[in-house]
Short mmCIF file of all heavy atoms in Angstrom, two decimals:
data_model
loop_
_atom_site.label_atom_id
_atom_site.label_comp_id
_atom_site.label_asym_id
_atom_site.label_seq_id
_atom_site.Cartn_x
_atom_site.Cartn_y
_atom_site.Cartn_z
N SER A 183 1.15 -2.80 -0.78
CA SER A 183 1.55 -4.08 -1.36
C SER A 183 0.37 -4.73 -2.08
O SER A 183 -0.70 -4.90 -1.49
CB SER A 183 1.99 -5.06 -0.27
OG SER A 183 2.99 -4.47 0.49
N PRO A 184 0.59 -5.13 -3.35
CA PRO A 184 -0.48 -5.86 -4.04
C PRO A 184 -0.60 -7.28 -3.49
O PRO A 184 0.42 -7.91 -3.22
CB PRO A 184 0.00 -5.90 -5.50
CG PRO A 184 1.38 -5.35 -5.53
CD PRO A 184 1.77 -4.90 -4.17
N VAL A 185 -1.82 -7.74 -3.30
CA VAL A 185 -2.07 -9.14 -2.90
C VAL A 185 -2.90 -9.75 -4.02
O VAL A 185 -4.01 -9.27 -4.31
CB VAL A 185 -2.82 -9.21 -1.55
CG1 VAL A 185 -3.18 -10.64 -1.21
CG2 VAL A 185 -1.97 -8.59 -0.45
N ILE A 186 -2.35 -10.75 -4.66
CA ILE A 186 -2.98 -11.27 -5.87
C ILE A 186 -3.87 -12.47 -5.57
O ILE A 186 -3.44 -13.44 -4.95
CB ILE A 186 -1.90 -11.68 -6.91
CG1 ILE A 186 -0.89 -10.54 -7.13
CG2 ILE A 186 -2.54 -12.12 -8.21
CD1 ILE A 186 -1.48 -9.22 -7.60
N VAL A 187 -5.12 -12.37 -6.00
CA VAL A 187 -6.08 -13.48 -5.85
C VAL A 187 -6.32 -14.06 -7.24
O VAL A 187 -6.88 -13.37 -8.11
CB VAL A 187 -7.41 -12.97 -5.26
CG1 VAL A 187 -8.39 -14.12 -5.08
CG2 VAL A 187 -7.18 -12.24 -3.96
N PRO A 188 -5.89 -15.30 -7.49
CA PRO A 188 -6.05 -15.84 -8.85
C PRO A 188 -7.49 -16.19 -9.19
O PRO A 188 -8.26 -16.59 -8.31
CB PRO A 188 -5.19 -17.11 -8.85
CG PRO A 188 -4.77 -17.35 -7.45
CD PRO A 188 -5.22 -16.22 -6.58
N THR A 189 -7.85 -15.99 -10.44
CA THR A 189 -9.13 -16.50 -10.96
C THR A 189 -8.77 -17.37 -12.16
O THR A 189 -7.68 -17.23 -12.73
CB THR A 189 -10.09 -15.38 -11.39
OG1 THR A 189 -9.51 -14.67 -12.50
CG2 THR A 189 -10.40 -14.42 -10.27
N TYR A 190 -9.69 -18.28 -12.54
CA TYR A 190 -9.32 -19.30 -13.52
C TYR A 190 -10.35 -19.41 -14.64
O TYR A 190 -11.55 -19.20 -14.42
CB TYR A 190 -9.19 -20.66 -12.81
CG TYR A 190 -8.12 -20.64 -11.74
CD1 TYR A 190 -8.47 -20.48 -10.39
CD2 TYR A 190 -6.78 -20.73 -12.08
CE1 TYR A 190 -7.48 -20.43 -9.40
CE2 TYR A 190 -5.78 -20.69 -11.09
CZ TYR A 190 -6.15 -20.55 -9.76
OH TYR A 190 -5.18 -20.49 -8.79
N PRO A 191 -9.86 -19.82 -15.84
CA PRO A 191 -10.78 -19.91 -16.97
C PRO A 191 -11.85 -20.99 -16.79
O PRO A 191 -12.94 -20.86 -17.35
CB PRO A 191 -9.86 -20.25 -18.16
CG PRO A 191 -8.56 -20.69 -17.57
CD PRO A 191 -8.47 -20.10 -16.21
N ASP A 192 -11.55 -22.04 -15.99
CA ASP A 192 -12.55 -23.12 -15.93
C ASP A 192 -13.83 -22.70 -15.22
O ASP A 192 -14.85 -23.38 -15.36
CB ASP A 192 -11.96 -24.43 -15.35
CG ASP A 192 -11.07 -24.17 -14.16
OD1 ASP A 192 -11.15 -23.04 -13.63
OD2 ASP A 192 -10.31 -25.07 -13.76
N ASN A 193 -13.83 -21.62 -14.45
CA ASN A 193 -15.14 -21.10 -14.00
C ASN A 193 -15.32 -19.67 -14.49
O ASN A 193 -15.87 -18.82 -13.79
CB ASN A 193 -15.33 -21.23 -12.48
CG ASN A 193 -14.52 -20.20 -11.72
OD1 ASN A 193 -13.55 -19.67 -12.24
ND2 ASN A 193 -14.92 -19.87 -10.51
N ASP A 194 -14.85 -19.44 -15.71
CA ASP A 194 -15.10 -18.15 -16.37
C ASP A 194 -14.49 -16.99 -15.61
O ASP A 194 -14.99 -15.88 -15.66
CB ASP A 194 -16.62 -17.95 -16.47
CG ASP A 194 -17.03 -17.56 -17.86
OD1 ASP A 194 -16.14 -17.46 -18.71
OD2 ASP A 194 -18.24 -17.34 -18.06
N TYR A 195 -13.42 -17.22 -14.89
CA TYR A 195 -12.70 -16.19 -14.13
C TYR A 195 -13.60 -15.54 -13.06
O TYR A 195 -13.42 -14.37 -12.74
CB TYR A 195 -12.12 -15.13 -15.06
CG TYR A 195 -11.14 -15.66 -16.08
CD1 TYR A 195 -11.53 -15.89 -17.40
CD2 TYR A 195 -9.82 -15.93 -15.73
CE1 TYR A 195 -10.63 -16.37 -18.35
CE2 TYR A 195 -8.93 -16.42 -16.67
CZ TYR A 195 -9.33 -16.62 -17.97
OH TYR A 195 -8.45 -17.09 -18.90
N GLN A 196 -14.58 -16.30 -12.56
CA GLN A 196 -15.44 -15.72 -11.51
C GLN A 196 -14.73 -15.81 -10.15
O GLN A 196 -13.67 -16.44 -10.03
CB GLN A 196 -16.79 -16.45 -11.47
CG GLN A 196 -17.59 -16.32 -12.77
CD GLN A 196 -17.94 -14.86 -13.12
OE1 GLN A 196 -18.33 -14.07 -12.27
NE2 GLN A 196 -17.79 -14.51 -14.40
N ILE A 197 -15.31 -15.15 -9.16
CA ILE A 197 -14.65 -15.02 -7.86
C ILE A 197 -15.01 -16.18 -6.94
O ILE A 197 -16.19 -16.51 -6.76
CB ILE A 197 -15.08 -13.70 -7.16
CG1 ILE A 197 -14.84 -12.50 -8.10
CG2 ILE A 197 -14.36 -13.51 -5.82
CD1 ILE A 197 -13.43 -12.31 -8.57
N ASP A 198 -13.98 -16.77 -6.37
CA ASP A 198 -14.17 -17.85 -5.42
C ASP A 198 -14.04 -17.27 -4.00
O ASP A 198 -13.00 -16.72 -3.64
CB ASP A 198 -13.09 -18.92 -5.67
CG ASP A 198 -13.18 -20.03 -4.66
OD1 ASP A 198 -14.19 -20.73 -4.65
OD2 ASP A 198 -12.24 -20.17 -3.84
N GLU A 199 -15.12 -17.40 -3.23
CA GLU A 199 -15.15 -16.73 -1.92
C GLU A 199 -14.01 -17.19 -1.02
O GLU A 199 -13.35 -16.37 -0.37
CB GLU A 199 -16.50 -16.95 -1.23
CG GLU A 199 -16.52 -16.26 0.12
CD GLU A 199 -17.88 -16.23 0.80
OE1 GLU A 199 -18.91 -16.46 0.12
OE2 GLU A 199 -17.90 -15.99 2.01
N SER A 200 -13.75 -18.51 -0.99
CA SER A 200 -12.73 -18.96 -0.04
C SER A 200 -11.34 -18.48 -0.48
O SER A 200 -10.51 -18.13 0.37
CB SER A 200 -12.78 -20.47 0.16
OG SER A 200 -12.64 -21.09 -1.08
N ALA A 201 -11.10 -18.43 -1.79
CA ALA A 201 -9.79 -17.94 -2.26
C ALA A 201 -9.63 -16.47 -1.88
O ALA A 201 -8.56 -16.05 -1.41
CB ALA A 201 -9.68 -18.12 -3.77
N LEU A 202 -10.69 -15.70 -2.04
CA LEU A 202 -10.62 -14.28 -1.71
C LEU A 202 -10.45 -14.10 -0.19
O LEU A 202 -9.57 -13.36 0.26
CB LEU A 202 -11.88 -13.57 -2.21
CG LEU A 202 -12.03 -12.10 -1.82
CD1 LEU A 202 -10.82 -11.28 -2.22
CD2 LEU A 202 -13.28 -11.50 -2.47
N ARG A 203 -11.27 -14.82 0.56
CA ARG A 203 -11.21 -14.69 2.02
C ARG A 203 -9.80 -15.00 2.54
O ARG A 203 -9.29 -14.34 3.43
CB ARG A 203 -12.24 -15.63 2.63
CG ARG A 203 -12.58 -15.35 4.06
CD ARG A 203 -13.68 -16.29 4.52
NE ARG A 203 -15.02 -15.82 4.22
CZ ARG A 203 -15.65 -14.86 4.89
NH1 ARG A 203 -15.04 -14.25 5.87
NH2 ARG A 203 -16.87 -14.49 4.57
N SER A 204 -9.18 -16.02 1.93
CA SER A 204 -7.86 -16.43 2.43
C SER A 204 -6.79 -15.35 2.20
O SER A 204 -5.71 -15.41 2.76
CB SER A 204 -7.43 -17.76 1.80
OG SER A 204 -7.11 -17.53 0.44
N CYS A 205 -7.08 -14.39 1.34
CA CYS A 205 -6.09 -13.33 1.07
C CYS A 205 -6.40 -12.05 1.82
O CYS A 205 -5.64 -11.08 1.76
CB CYS A 205 -6.07 -13.01 -0.43
SG CYS A 205 -5.41 -14.36 -1.39
N MET A 206 -7.54 -12.00 2.52
CA MET A 206 -7.91 -10.75 3.19
C MET A 206 -7.40 -10.74 4.63
O MET A 206 -7.43 -11.77 5.30
CB MET A 206 -9.43 -10.56 3.13
CG MET A 206 -9.84 -10.50 1.68
SD MET A 206 -11.30 -9.58 1.25
CE MET A 206 -11.18 -8.01 1.99
#
Side-chain angles (χ1 to χ4, degrees):
S183 305
V185 175
I186 308 302
V187 181
T189 64
Y190 300 100
D192 42 15
N193 75 338
D194 229 0
Y195 300 101
Q196 298 299 317
I197 306 302
D198 176 65
E199 180 171 343
S200 57
L202 174 54
R203 197 176 274 284
S204 71
C205 292
M206 299 208 50

